[in-house]
Amino acid sequence: MVQAVRGMRDVLPQEGRRWRTVEDALRVVLSGFGYEEVQLPVLEFTDLFARGVGEATDIVEKEMYSLQDRDGDSLTLRPEGTAGCVRALNENGLLYNQTQKVFYTGPMFRYEKPQKGRYRQFSQVGAEAFGFAGPDIDAELIYLCARAWQELGIVDHVKLQLNTLGSGEARVRYRDALVAYLQPLHSELDEDSQRRLETNPMRILDSKDQKTQSLLTQAPRLPDFVDDASRAHFDGLCKLLGELNVPFEINPGLVRGLDYYTHTVFEWVTDMLGSQGTVCAGGRYDGLVEKLGGKSTPAVGFAVGLERVMLLHEVVNQATTQPVDVYVCWLSESCFIQAMTVAERCRDMLSQAKVRVHMGGGNLKKQMKKADASGATLAVLIGEDEIAAGELTIKHLRDQQIGQSRLPLEEALRLVVQSSSDLL
Ligand code: HAM
């Protein structure tokens, strides 16, 4: 059978519905903040990304899907949306002496090692604001994200990390100081960091290697190099976020993997998706419009990784939309009616509890597995022995220490009610 290319995913009907929900929520929020949709080509000249994203970045060095067309031009499937967006607005005269707030959605392509939450074709919803220099727009963009998380019911599961990289010149000064510090330690760095020391030293701060990280504890720190204007911008942003009640954490190690950033950078991260926990990322890129041939224009934006937000939405909503409090297992056919009766007594006593009777038969092990997967706190076990003795077995599924006890029926039901403060 012909198979999909590695790292490319099919979105099948069930996921398609979730996809709509997530994308629509983001669209509604973006429109509500005055962002207008643009649709941009998937294919651009390779040079756009080399100049825009940066020759020495991982993306340009080793992750692009590039091809030569029949005219001999080098083209690349877009690995991200910001460079193409700047190109399009510049080319169409939309950045000249005016402000713009736009968003786009669609597939991006990066030749990365596929794993959960990381694919070779993935989708972003990106937003970009041009012509605004102050921290007010940074704050609004971040606030807008928080509102989208609220709409999607994931706001309690993502955290905002912030940093400032300073002006372009401050970055250069910092990079030189970092290289001067690390050069004598070259042989002690991990292989990737040794290479990055030549090409993109600030990415060494992102290294996952423990030895490298321990060497970095004594390294010059980026915040000490940030210029006064950038510091004032960042302080202004932090103050605004405080006033808007958007919690954040300052992470001085946050440097981002694309070269165009200056001043503010941020990431929304979750700890519910394993290693691919960044669901949205962005920052300011005041130099990019000019670098790509336009007039110097301040700019800031972000992109949401749709697949990751969908994974998170799925995890969170599974946990919150189908909770079961009590799961009733019955061990032979003759126990089914008693199981239904006991479940009904539980519902009577605990009007808000969700009580599920096991369906589909199977041995105790199978039923307990289902009980556990249902998220229930308590399992009620009913076998012929219990019925003959007028008893029930109650098992606490979330607290090993409480374990299980077999009690007379009424006493057992009272125990279920007593445990109800844990359940509801
Ligand atoms: P980025 O951090 O490279 O930034 O990507 C943004 C988001 O896209 C990530 O946080 C992640 O959620 C998602 N993403 C990236 N790579 C993958 C992948 N291989 N599989 C699944 N999801 C992925 C940018 O692309 C910038 N253009 C963001 C931006 C816009 N900055 C300013 N404006």
Side-chain angles (χ1 to χ4, degrees), residues 240-297:
L240 289 174
L241 290 176
E243 286 165 4
L244 289 166
N245 288 322
V246 180
F248 60 87
E249 189 183 287
I250 296 174
N251 175 359
L254 181 67
V255 289
R256 310 273 303 122
L258 303 95
D259 268 359
Y260 48 62
Y261 292 110
T262 51
H263 310 290
T264 313
V265 286
F266 62 90
E267 290 190 353
W268 289 92
V269 295
T270 178
D271 54 14
M272 294 180 85
L273 297 181
S275 63
Q276 304 305 308
T278 307
V279 296
C280 169
R284 210 161 243 291
Y285 48 97
D286 289 348
L288 185 62
V289 176
E290 194 175 9
K291 194 165 187 191
L292 295 178
K295 191 179 152 206
S296 171
T297 307

Side-chain angles (χ1 to χ4, degrees), residues 331 358 361-368:
L331 307 183
H358 178 80
N363 60 21
L364 178 62
K365 194 167 162 209
K366 177 179 165 193
Q367 295 197 25
M368 289 308 291

Side-chain angles (χ1 to χ4, degrees), residues 4-250:
V5 175
R6 182 153 187 255
M8 313 280 156
R9 291 171 64 252
D10 301 308
V11 176
L12 300 174
Q14 204 187 354
E15 195 187 343
R17 282 197 293 278
R18 193 177 291 282
W19 191 286
R20 271 283 140 255
T21 309
V22 172
E23 200 179 315
D24 286 354
L26 289 164
R27 270 174 200 279
V28 168
V29 171
L30 281 160
S31 305
F33 279 76
Y35 285 74
E36 289 202 84
E37 182 162 0
V38 289
Q39 301 212 2
L40 303 168
V42 170
L43 213 48
E44 298 273 3
F45 286 115
T46 302
D47 182 51
L48 172 70
F49 303 113
R51 282 167 63 189
V53 175
E55 294 273 11
T57 56
D58 281 353
I59 293 180
V60 172
E61 261 188 0
K62 52 187 187 192
E63 294 173 359
M64 294 204 299
Y65 281 90
S66 299
L67 59 109
Q68 216 175 37
D69 75 2
R70 288 168 199 274
D71 299 328
D73 289 323
S74 175
L75 306 180
T76 291
L77 288 173
R78 62 181 178 192
E80 61 98 53
T82 308
C85 185
V86 170
R87 196 265 315 134
L89 298 193
N90 252 344
E91 192 173 341
N92 291 286
L94 294 177
L95 292 181
Y96 199 75
N97 289 344
Q98 54 194 305
T99 57
Q100 291 291 347
K101 287 168 145 187
V102 296
F103 75 93
Y104 49 85
T105 73
M108 310 288 158
F109 302 82
R110 294 184 195 173
Y111 191 82
E112 290 191 89
K113 206 165 171 201
Q115 65 181 83
K116 181 178 155 202
R118 187 164 76 195
Y119 312 103
R120 290 181 174 175
Q121 175 178 335
F122 60 97
S123 281
Q124 288 185 344
V125 173
E128 317 287 358
F130 296 95
F132 305 94
D136 47 355
I137 190 82
D138 304 23
E140 191 198 48
L141 269 170
I142 288 172
Y143 186 73
L144 175 169
C145 294
R147 180 167 177 129
W149 312 143
Q150 184 85 42
E151 296 281 322
L152 289 166
I154 57 172
V155 71
D156 294 336
H157 305 280
V158 287
K159 286 202 181 99
L160 173 64
Q161 299 207 334
L162 274 188
N163 194 20
T164 180
L165 301 179
S167 63
E169 300 83 64
R171 270 181 75 167
V172 171
R173 275 190 286 121
Y174 175 64
R175 199 187 54 205
D176 292 349
L178 189 64
V179 172
Y181 169 81
L182 289 173
Q183 203 79 62
L185 305 170
H186 185 274
S187 59
E188 296 177 62
L189 296 172
D190 62 280
E191 208 179 304
D192 242 6
S193 299
Q194 289 185 353
R195 189 177 52 79
R196 283 182 168 149
L197 194 55
E198 312 297 327
T199 57
N200 200 353
M202 279 172 66
R203 289 305 307 282
I204 296 174
L205 302 183
D206 275 349
S207 167
K208 302 273 182 286
D209 184 79
Q210 273 191 344
K211 177 89 190 292
T212 300
Q213 276 303 333
S214 73
L215 294 172
L216 284 171
T217 52
Q218 303 296 320
R221 283 166 37 88
L222 179 58
D224 300 333
F225 288 75
V226 168
D227 49 295
D228 290 346
S230 200
R231 174 66 49 211
H233 183 101
F234 192 61
D235 290 346
L237 171 61
C238 294
K239 182 164 173 284
L240 289 174
L241 290 176
E243 286 165 4
L244 289 166
N245 288 322
V246 180
F248 60 87
E249 189 183 287
I250 296 174

